[in-house]
Amino acid sequence: MASLNDIRSTYLDFFARNGHKVVDSSPLVPRNDPTLMFANSGMVQFKNLFTGVETRDYTRATTAQKCVRAGGKHNDLDNVGYTARHHTFFEMLGNFSFGDYFKDEAIAFAWELLTKDFGLNKNKLLVTVYHTDDEAALIWKKVAGFSDDRIIRIPTDDNFWRMGPTGPCGPCTEIFYDHGDHIWGGPPGSAEEDGDRFIEIWNNVFMQNEQFADGSMRPLEMQSIDTGMGLERIGALLQGKHDNYDTDLMRSLIEASAHATSSDPDGPGKTHHRVIADHLRSTSFLIADGVMPSNEGRGYVLRRIMRRAMRHAHMLGSQDPVMFKLVPALVRQMGAAYPELARAQSLIEETLKLEETRFKTTLDRGLKLLDDEMVRLPEGGDLPGSTAFKLYDTYGFPLDLTQDALRERGRAVDVAGFDSAMAEQKAKARAAWSGTGEAADGKIWFELADAHGATEFLGYDTETAEGVI
Ligand code: ATP
Ligand code: MG
Ligand code: MG
Ligand code: MG
């Protein structure tokens, strides 16, 4: 059976054989791009090549790109533990043409790799195209021999990719795999789409326009290609699985989690192990790329993921820090492909252990408070915002951790109540500050703090310049 490590190599070798330069993944923290929190697709490091602002000594490239989708336009944090196909950290395999080949070759490459090198069953594949893209539909007919019902025309933005409000854009074609009718979910464009039966494996974007701030869109001088395929998704198919978390790599992390918590990987705590395995990867790779847990910006996203993972470990009955013990299993799996991970191993372990040790006492007490509150809640009622705020303020529970805990029990948090409790506390702090007689300084301090906070969070609240396939 081909491992995920083998499959990554097969992909890169295929495109290298076809004239593509194998380029390293860029770091998860994008360079000089304050609008994007983390690299979330392969094209991020090539943004300026599509518009022609930058040129290099190659016009074809291929990468396995580290991606984190835990904030911003594409936030999959809340999908982890609930779907078979989403991770917060995943690897995106991509091939790129910068004014070199276009639709014909991109589709022919995709088809050849999937059906010959990877040997997928052609009858299980179907594709979407942008509704007006007759050309792409025709190429699919020619290359794959698909009948019209296997080429689904989608009129929405799902099949017209934009980098953000400005920048390169164009229609795309996506390749789906049918995992069989024993799994819930409908084909793309249907009302039941959001299940795990028809899984999107590969997006091919035809970069041909540029979007401008005034709303106009003009054809680019060059026609380019930008593709992205989730390694874990294609890996599941090639390993005969219906779930990313059943692939060799994810499974070894799940088993490490089961071992460290002395629990059954497939027992009632199954979901906890999956979340832990996923969050172990995102936290470790983020630390390896220089992000440290903090209370703002990227560091706060990291802290939120770490703390969520710790709650799941707690649910498995772990009394002592456990995440740091799983790092060697991850390094064994991925350290060869990503040497930065192996290099940072001790930093990752120490950072996890410290955060786990610090959070442990308030985690236990906060969860106890939450349990007591749950007993008092009326049938089906939301958790009051004031309680969620107390958990945040006194026990260090990020709001999404509390929401995650409640979702498990089919409940939600009164978010408006949480927000107003937060606003109230800020107002009180302001009043207290001005009461010291240093009103002018206080005002400036708070203005700075607000502005600073807003800047830090820009990346995941706005939809600007997200480099997303
Ligand atoms: P989905 O609709 O399943 O959420 P997407 O349309 O958001 O996927 P794209 O932005 O088109 O995904 O990214 C290209 C490819 O990257 C996808 O076809 C998929 O194979 C993979 N991918 C995207 N998000 C994730 C994720 N959270 N975890 C694992 N793989 C992913
Ligand atoms: Mg998505
Ligand atoms: Mg999609
Ligand atoms: Mg997509």
Side-chain angles (χ1 to χ4, degrees), residues 99-244:
D100 190 316
Y101 61 87
F102 200 46
K103 293 185 189 180
D104 278 299
E105 273 163 290
I107 291 176
F109 280 146
W111 188 248
E112 185 185 338
L113 176 62
L114 291 179
T115 58
K116 292 214 178 94
D117 299 60
F118 285 153
L120 289 183
N121 180 348
K122 297 175 185 178
N123 299 322
K124 298 269 188 189
L125 296 169
L126 60 157
V127 299
T128 60
V129 297
Y130 192 53
H131 66 138
T132 53
D133 195 353
D134 296 330
E135 196 188 351
L138 207 65
I139 300 172
W140 275 117
K141 275 191 186 171
K142 205 174 67 198
V143 171
F146 280 159
S147 51
D148 283 330
D149 61 332
R150 303 263 298 281
I151 306 172
I152 303 169
R153 288 171 182 260
I154 304 269
T156 65
D157 270 3
D158 268 350
N159 278 69
F160 193 94
W161 178 85
R162 277 185 179 79
M163 196 177 76
T166 60
C169 56
C172 64
T173 180
E174 297 197 312
I175 304 166
F176 285 72
Y177 186 87
D178 181 358
H179 279 265
D181 56 15
H182 56 289
I183 296 169
W184 182 83
S190 70
E192 302 79 28
E193 180 184 348
D194 204 21
D196 281 324
R197 175 173 170 189
F198 292 89
I199 294 220
E200 177 190 325
I201 51 173
W202 200 352
N203 189 351
N204 278 241
V205 183
F206 309 127
M207 293 285 200
Q208 56 187 36
N209 303 304
E210 185 167 4
Q211 175 83 51
F212 295 91
D214 63 4
S216 66
M217 199 164 69
R218 268 167 259 156
L220 277 170
E221 261 171 49
M222 322 192 293
Q223 296 187 315
S224 297
I225 292 291
D226 157 29
T227 89
M229 168 157 66
L231 172 62
E232 301 78 3
R233 293 192 191 180
I234 183 70
L237 291 184
L238 299 180
Q239 296 181 357
K241 310 290 187 199
H242 301 298
D243 188 321
N244 285 9

Side-chain angles (χ1 to χ4, degrees), residues 6 36 74 76 93 96 105 136 140 174 245 249 284 290 318 351 362-363 373 406 419 423 429 434 457:
D6 299 332
L36 183 64
H74 286 246
D76 287 323
L93 303 168
F96 308 90
E105 273 163 290
W140 275 117
E174 297 197 312
Y245 290 85
L249 198 161
S284 301
S318 96
T351 309
T362 57
L363 175 66
E373 282 293 318
L406 283 163
D419 288 343
S434 54
F457 283 96

Side-chain angles (χ1 to χ4, degrees), residues 37 292-301 303 449 452-453 456-457:
M37 190 147 270
M292 292 303 273
S294 78
N295 284 334
E296 60 206 4
R298 298 187 171 106
Y300 192 55
V301 178
R303 172 162 280 164
H452 184 62
E456 283 294 341
F457 283 96

